[in-house]
Amino acid sequence: MINVAILGSTGSIGTSTLDVIARQSERFNAFALTANKNVERLYEQCLQFLPEIAVMVDNASADELQQRLTNNPKTQHIKVFSGCDALDDVASMDQVDYVMAAIVGAAGLSSSLAAARSGKRILLANKESLVMSGDLFMQAVKENGATLLPIDSEHNAIFQSMPEKLNNISANVDTSIDKSTLQNLQESGVEKILLTASGGPFLNKSLDELQSVTPDQACAHPTWEMGRKISVDSATMMNKGLEVIEASWLFNASADDIQVVIHPQSVIHSMVSYSDGSVLAQLGNPDMRTPIAHAMAWPERMNSGVEQLDIFKVAQLNFEKPDFERFVCLKLAYDALRSGGTAPAILNAANEIAVDAFLQEKIAFTQIAQIVQQTIEQLPAVPADSLSVILAADAKARTIADSLCQQAA
Ligand code: NAD
Ligand code: MG
């Protein structure tokens, strides 16, 4: 039995992970479930999956959950912990084999890193950890023999389409591997990574129309159902920008190696193009249970509950180049990747603050990119050589972005 800790079990990825586990219960056990403060959902999940441990970051929510679990003889045995440290503890426990890192935002960094440092198989949905601290994260994976498998559908597709020796992912094979010994993409015949993007709900809206879009419109994604933060990121295409940075760490790629391709059907989840003219792609219905099941079963395959792709129903696949003028956030992310150091962490932090302000209807949709850009301009990037430097940059960027949001409101 493989014990899985699901960090962020009440979210969109967490719920899909539990759906896969329910179908594969003879093989996987939901050992620990964690959430921020959604007591109702975590209680229901505890009732259904009977984990050993439940964590609520919020103290009052943890007390409430404890009471409800104690009142039910079926769930009395479940240990409840609270606070951020409990997330790191769960991610490093000996009994835990796989860690699903599905907390949203920078809040997921510490526990993802704890899983890497403890040599776990990390199923990484929390792209923000790689964006903020890619170098340190990849080092922790390698030094501790962890196995890093991407859950983000595009990266999972790239992983499936890459030559094995290039995947910067499984350190189990050779823990001495480091970036300088990895062959670069071109030497292995890879010409480009083609990272697909749906373009989000506003692909065909004019810049003028974008001024007045609401949070609910931004969260109504045409092909994927996701949490609200990543939905807004998809609408601004910051999500794709963060994914470019994520891909650069996972696959040892430079900004120039990664081409974003708008593909509104979201059927091709990404492609790798080779020097002999081949282009390998991974296709499937847009359902996160596919990458989740892939990463859980890897290198085998198992049933995920996802319907087979009906290629005749799809009928047509379209592709277009992204417009950097309309999707400023995508451009800012490429720039941050090229600047390196703490620039991606600053970009990410400013974006989290601006998206939150937009979701609370304090700023307009188009101000998200402006606030991120101004924060980057006000806060010079420095080398990201330690976690404390990265966290300091994150904190400073949040303060700056916050005051910019207040001025903009
Ligand atoms: P979500 O908002 O649906 O869920 C977030 C989860 O994180 C919840 O369980 C919540 O309780 C927990 N959480 C929130 N704030 C927290 C905090 N401060 N401390 C601890 N836990 C906290 O988000 P989601 O859509 O499931 O996305 C999760 C991650 O996966 C994100 O990094 C996102 O970019 C990535 N991702 C999501 C999808 C998708 O389809 N939803 C696809 C690719 C990547
Ligand atoms: Mg994605």
Side-chain angles (χ1 to χ4, degrees):
M1 204 52 145
I2 293 169
N3 280 333
V4 187
I6 306 174
L7 309 178
S9 67
T10 55
S12 157
I13 294 287
T15 310
S16 293
T17 306
L18 284 171
D19 184 279
V20 173
I21 289 180
R23 290 163 200 278
Q24 299 288 342
S25 56
E26 67 302 331
R27 206 166 150 195
F28 296 99
N29 174 40
F31 178 85
L33 303 179
T34 87
N36 193 22
K37 47 187 175 195
N38 189 343
V39 179
E40 192 57 44
R41 177 84 53 88
L42 193 56
Y43 176 70
E44 283 164 17
Q45 294 182 339
C46 285
L47 257 185
Q48 187 184 347
F49 290 92
L50 301 173
E52 302 288 315
I53 294 171
V55 177
M56 300 232 71
V57 173
D58 179 60
N59 286 319
S61 307
D63 291 343
E64 198 185 325
L65 180 73
Q66 174 79 75
Q67 204 156 37
R68 291 185 65 177
L69 292 176
T70 312
N71 287 342
N72 185 335
K74 242 181 100 183
T75 55
Q76 262 170 357
H77 69 280
I78 301 175
K79 295 187 199 77
V80 178
F81 299 107
S82 69
C84 293
D85 290 349
L87 298 173
D88 297 11
D89 294 345
V90 159
S92 1
M93 284 180 79
D94 285 344
Q95 297 100 306
V96 169
D97 303 300
Y98 293 4
V99 175
M100 166 55 79
I103 291 174
V104 59
L109 171 61
S110 177
S111 50
S112 309
L113 255 180
R117 288 178 175 146
S118 319
K120 305 295 185 199
R121 176 182 290 207
I122 309 158
L123 315 171
L124 188 72
N126 178 258
K127 63 192 89 188
E128 293 90 347
S129 347
L130 271 183
V131 169
M132 292 174 73
S133 67
D135 209 3
L136 294 178
F137 197 90
M138 296 311 294
Q139 260 177 45
V141 167
K142 279 158 200 163
E143 285 169 10
N144 298 288
T147 299
L148 180 59
L149 292 165
I151 294 301
D152 217 340
S153 57
E154 297 77 4
H155 305 74
N156 187 272
I158 296 163
F159 177 67
Q160 295 193 47
S161 309
M162 269 288 181
E164 206 158 302
K165 62 184 171 203
L166 265 182
N167 281 321
N168 203 356
I169 279 170
S170 168
N172 276 343
V173 188
D174 175 7
T175 49
S176 66
I177 196 167
D178 74 10
K179 274 202 120 177
S180 56
T181 63
L182 269 175
Q183 270 187 295
N184 72 29
L185 295 177
Q186 280 75 22
E187 278 170 33
S188 304
V190 172
E191 285 289 312
K192 272 239 183 307
I193 290 172
L194 303 173
L195 186 69
T196 56
S198 69
F202 304 144
L203 182 58
N204 299 313
K205 275 211 188 317
S206 70
L207 268 177
D208 247 12
E209 289 172 308
L210 285 182
Q211 310 277 356
S212 56
V213 296
T214 66
D216 283 344
Q217 286 174 312
C219 291
H221 196 279
T223 48
W224 295 98
E225 246 188 82
M226 310 179 285
R228 282 173 83 76
K229 189 259 180 185
I230 182 176
S231 296
V232 175
D233 286 350
S234 297
T236 60
M237 283 195 78
M238 179 59 93
N239 182 50
K240 212 45 54 179
L242 300 178
E243 290 185 358
V244 168
I245 301 171
E246 181 185 13
S248 79
W249 290 110
L250 288 172
F251 307 110
N252 199 26
S254 71
D256 293 332
D257 294 328
I258 306 166
Q259 170 70 55
V260 171
V261 179
I262 296 193
H263 164 49
Q265 292 91 354
S266 304
V267 165
I268 295 182
H269 300 308
S270 276
M271 299 171 260
V272 177
S273 106
Y274 288 84
S275 55
D276 61 5
S278 304
V279 178
L280 300 193
Q282 186 259 1
L283 287 74
N285 283 318
D287 187 322
M288 290 307 292
R289 290 175 301 174
T290 295
I292 291 167
H294 171 266
M296 285 175 70
W298 182 81
E300 292 161 28
R301 298 273 175 179
M302 68 184 187
N303 180 16
S304 63
V306 176
E307 226 180 286
Q308 290 296 311
L309 180 68
D310 183 344
I311 204 94
F312 298 111
K313 228 192 221 159
V314 175
Q316 201 181 349
L317 301 172
N318 296 82
F319 307 100
E320 57 184 276
K321 276 196 176 158
D323 175 354
F324 283 122
E325 266 170 48
R326 240 149 61 74
F327 294 110
V328 181
C329 286
L330 181 58
K331 163 100 176 42
L332 293 174
Y334 264 106
D335 291 346
L337 173 59
R338 291 195 168 96
S339 307
T342 52
I346 293 167
L347 169 99
N348 177 67
N351 180 59
E352 283 189 31
I353 295 292
V355 169
D356 193 52
F358 168 68
L359 284 171
Q360 292 182 46
E361 299 187 60
K362 290 181 181 157
I363 63 167
F365 180 76
T366 43
Q367 287 175 311
I368 296 173
Q370 290 164 11
I371 282 160
V372 174
Q373 180 159 15
Q374 288 165 12
T375 307
I376 291 170
E377 283 164 7
Q378 288 185 30
L379 186 56
V382 296
D385 15 291
S386 72
L387 195 57
S388 58
V389 168
I390 294 166
L391 294 177
D394 172 273
K396 271 189 213 149
R398 280 169 202 271
T399 310
I400 295 172
D402 220 9
S403 75
L404 288 168
C405 285
Q406 277 166 34
Q407 286 163 33

